[in-house]
Amino acid sequence: MINVTEMHTDILVVGGGLGGVAAALGACRAGRSVIMTEEFDWIGGQLTSQAVPSDEHTWVEQFGITRSYRKLREGIRRYYRDHYPLTEGARAWGDLNPGSGWVSRICAEPRVSLAVMEAMLAPYRGAGKLKVLQPYRPVAADVADDTVRSVTVRHRDTGREITVSAAYILDATELGDLLPMTGTEYVKGFEAQSDTGEPSAPSEAQPDNVQAVSICFAIDHVDGDQTIDKPENYDYWRKYEPHFWGGPLLGFTAPHPRTLDFTTRSFTPNPNDDPLAVDADQRKGGGDENLWIFRRIAARNNFVAGAYASDICLVNWPMIDYMEGTIIDLSEEDKAKQLKSAADLSYSLFYWLQTEAPRVDGGQGFPGLRLRGDITGTEHGLAMAPYIRESRRIKPVTRIVEQDLSYSVRGEKGAVNYRDSIGIGMYRIDLHPSTGGDNYIDVPSCPFEIPLGALLPERVKNLIPAGKNIGTTHITNGCYRLHPVEWNIGEVAGMLAAHCLDKNLTPHQVQKSDEKLQNFQRELSREGIEMRWPDIAAY
């Protein structure tokens, strides 16, 4: 018989990814007691257990993120300067990019991001304001009168269960797991154009058509033959060819996300490039022409000679986008089967790189490639957790649709200004191939705002989404899902719960009243939450 322990806290944050960590920080800063749960061994989600370097907008070094997210980025750079043998040039680089990857201005090893987030939470854990339950995942919820009274979480290894009651429940899980458990109304997949009016939407809803998940991995290239055993499903994946791909999935040719033209990428391990010359500016393209440096997380030339035998490259490439089926609203058994297939695809790509990938010298394969499970914290060699691009999403007070921020619709007017803005973000509407057989959908977008109404379920009073489960659509999720936006959403969710407890209000009351909303927005501003994009003008 399972022994169930009971706990109580002001605010329960279920899920310890970027949104969950930010939510815990926001609530703890406001003086509230918090319990945060996380099902994997590392907190940090996208940036750590999923091993995805941060996807950020062009102006991230100047503005457009929250103060605490800036502290995270500054902390990562400080960690390298304090603990790593950097070259003099790298150490003097103000906007240090340890991996000198083209995808982001700060490509770093997952453990560094983990260490910085743990340090950010440490004072609150020491003071007894924050308790982290790990590795625990939610299994049940108790709901009455449109209010979630408690959530039960189960330990991954021992089966021990803990029931946590709280005044506010924040769903920071990667897939919006609390929504079905609590009976909160939600949507998934593609909405119909007749419903949303979105130019890029299909005529009929496609609830099981979601963005591909990917199981990432880190690699380097060293002397000797590092070839792994042939994966059991390699022959299947070797022949696999999506109808829109332009060739086998395991290959260097794939659709260009923005033009859909067939493009052949290059792959050159350890190109001996100058890491200080990398310009990770998303306006100039995705930077994936050379896959090795695209998401590189350790550039050996940033470190003193001999410190790193090789660059370390993070593989989050088109070839590991798993399009065979959704993992949302499946039985645990069927979900596990899908994720195993996604892992098989990742192993198959790695084996193909080692044995069959074309080289510029006319040969085949790079047997010196090595899986770096030590970098991702696993014995199996892949990332600890799947990279989740799309979640269940609440049916919200305010739904964010494509025409709110699409540049082709809005033009120079810019994105819609929401009266209840509680943050800002920027990224192209970037949808990867999906389980319904769709190609990339990539739409230019305007710098956008995050409306408070998108964090409020239509009916449930005290459940607040704190990640990718806010009231976007399938399409707008494509730009609201990135690292700094998820952090902003989570941080505000934690602050909102604390604010409502302090003022004896409900989140819906805060959003509906101009006076109450402005009071909350002033509080956000004091804590470094940017709610409007700057209008740069002469003076």
Side-chain angles (χ1 to χ4, degrees):
M1 185 174 180
I2 297 175
N3 181 31
V4 179
T5 303
E6 294 187 357
M7 294 182 178
H8 178 77
T9 188
D10 291 337
I11 299 166
L12 170 63
V13 181
V14 181
L18 285 175
V21 170
L25 284 170
C28 286
R29 278 201 318 261
R32 288 294 169 174
S33 64
V34 178
I35 292 176
M36 182 178 78
T37 72
E38 168 54 35
E39 65 174 302
F40 293 100
D41 292 335
W42 289 355
I43 62 170
Q46 292 188 69
L47 207 51
T48 59
S49 60
Q50 297 175 32
V52 179
S54 55
D55 285 301
E56 298 168 342
H57 59 73
T58 295
W59 309 282
V60 66
E61 305 294 353
Q62 289 79 40
F63 47 78
I65 54 177
T66 76
R67 181 188 299 155
S68 66
Y69 188 80
R70 191 171 302 283
K71 288 181 178 178
L72 170 62
R73 299 177 86 255
E74 292 170 349
I76 291 170
R77 287 174 171 146
R78 187 181 312 114
Y79 194 97
Y80 274 94
R81 291 191 173 96
D82 289 347
H83 301 289
Y84 279 69
L86 298 171
T87 64
E88 289 185 12
R91 190 172 298 279
W93 186 3
D95 295 337
L96 172 64
N97 189 345
S100 293
W102 286 90
V103 74
S104 170
R105 297 186 188 275
I106 187 164
C107 293
E109 296 174 36
R111 286 185 189 275
V112 176
S113 301
L114 173 66
V116 175
M117 279 184 273
E118 290 281 12
M120 293 173 78
L121 293 177
Y124 303 108
R125 297 177 79 166
K129 291 182 179 179
L130 171 66
K131 184 174 183 61
V132 180
L133 302 179
Q134 203 174 3
Y136 280 85
R137 64 183 184 88
V139 293
D142 179 35
V143 182
D145 298 325
D146 299 335
T147 300
V148 183
R149 298 194 296 196
S150 66
V151 174
T152 300
V153 295
R154 180 180 298 155
H155 194 280
R156 180 192 62 202
D157 304 324
T158 67
R160 179 193 179 199
E161 292 189 353
I162 302 175
T163 296
V164 185
S165 57
Y168 281 92
I169 313 292
L170 276 53
D171 185 350
T173 61
E174 296 297 324
L175 291 171
D177 291 334
L178 293 190
L179 304 185
M181 287 183 195
T182 59
T184 302
E185 291 79 8
Y186 68 91
V187 298
K188 57 182 181 176
F190 233 141
E191 295 90 346
Q193 190 177 75
S194 59
D195 175 21
T196 66
E198 295 175 304
S200 302
S203 58
E204 296 183 4
Q206 302 169 6
D208 291 323
N209 188 2
V210 300
Q211 285 197 73
V213 302
S214 298
I215 299 185
C216 306
F217 54 94
I219 58 175
D220 64 5
H221 189 268
V222 294
D223 293 335
D225 188 345
Q226 311 292 330
T227 306
I228 64 172
D229 293 337
K230 181 180 178 180
E232 60 177 309
N233 292 314
Y234 179 73
D235 291 337
Y236 172 80
W237 291 114
R238 185 66 186 84
K239 298 175 183 176
Y240 188 86
E241 185 172 338
H243 67 88
F244 52 82
W245 206 253
L249 184 64
L250 301 188
F252 291 142
T253 298
H256 188 284
R258 298 184 185 181
T259 67
L260 303 186
D261 294 334
F262 299 139
T263 303
T264 300
R265 278 84 169 179
S266 64
F267 179 73
T268 310
N270 294 320
N272 203 33
D273 60 318
D274 178 4
L276 302 183
V278 169
D279 182 13
D281 188 338
Q282 290 284 342
R283 290 174 298 185
K284 300 175 183 178
D288 61 345
E289 290 81 7
N290 185 316
L291 291 169
W292 181 266
I293 60 175
F294 176 37
R295 293 183 184 271
R296 183 173 54 187
I297 56 175
R300 72 192 190 286
N301 289 343
N302 271 332
F303 306 94
V304 298
Y308 278 69
S310 167
D311 294 346
I312 301 174
C313 169
L314 195 286
V315 177
N316 177 19
W317 303 341
M319 302 88 99
I320 62 168
D321 284 1
Y322 180 74
M323 305 172 237
E324 286 286 85
T326 181
I327 60 171
I328 298 176
D329 288 343
L330 300 181
S331 67
E332 287 300 315
E333 181 181 5
D334 288 341
K335 179 182 175 182
K337 287 179 180 177
Q338 293 283 38
L339 290 176
K340 182 183 182 303
S341 293
D344 288 344
L345 171 58
S346 294
Y347 283 126
S348 294
L349 172 64
F350 180 63
Y351 183 76
W352 178 83
L353 289 169
Q354 290 182 311
T355 60
E356 295 192 64
R359 302 195 306 261
V360 293
D361 65 4
Q364 285 188 315
F366 299 85
L369 291 175
R370 179 174 59 170
L371 271 181
R372 293 296 304 272
D374 56 324
I375 293 294
T376 55
T378 65
E379 293 184 2
H380 55 64
L382 306 180
M384 190 176 293
Y387 175 32
I388 306 296
R389 295 183 174 90
E390 185 172 345
S391 171
R392 302 174 181 91
R393 304 179 296 277
I394 63 165
K395 289 187 175 181
V397 170
T398 304
R399 182 169 60 176
I400 303 163
V401 293
E402 180 182 1
Q403 54 271 33
D404 286 354
L405 62 147
S406 165
Y407 182 74
S408 64
V409 175
R410 299 290 302 175
E412 297 306 318
K413 292 182 296 184
V416 167
N417 293 123
Y418 301 108
R419 61 172 279 279
D420 59 344
S421 175
I422 45 82
I424 57 177
M426 173 59 192
Y427 210 73
R428 289 175 69 92
I429 297 174
D430 171 26
L431 298 176
H432 281 236
S434 64
T435 57
D438 290 321
N439 204 340
Y440 290 95
I441 298 175
D442 193 281
V443 178
S445 66
C446 305
F448 55 81
E449 299 173 356
I450 308 166
L452 177 58
L455 276 65
L456 305 184
E458 291 176 329
R459 178 183 56 83
V460 181
K461 298 174 182 176
N462 70 330
L463 179 76
I464 305 173
K468 292 182 288 290
N469 50 352
I470 66 168
T472 57
T473 63
H474 172 83
I475 294 172
T476 56
N477 165 74
C479 58
Y480 277 75
R481 65 181 173 83
L482 284 311
H483 301 64
V485 181
E486 181 183 338
W487 183 279
N488 189 321
I489 291 165
E491 187 172 3
V492 170
M495 294 177 67
L496 176 64
H499 178 84
C500 288
L501 286 171
D502 291 344
K503 305 298 183 183
N504 195 27
L505 297 169
T506 68
H508 293 77
Q509 288 172 333
V510 173
Q511 193 270 345
K512 190 173 183 180
S513 161
D514 287 344
E515 180 183 1
K516 293 178 174 62
L517 173 64
Q518 289 164 11
N519 288 337
F520 180 55
Q521 289 172 322
R522 281 192 287 269
E523 186 176 304
L524 296 179
S525 183
R526 285 194 296 270
E527 291 297 323
I529 310 293
E530 298 179 25
M531 287 165 283
R532 308 287 179 196
W533 281 94
D535 183 10
I536 307 300
Y539 64 94

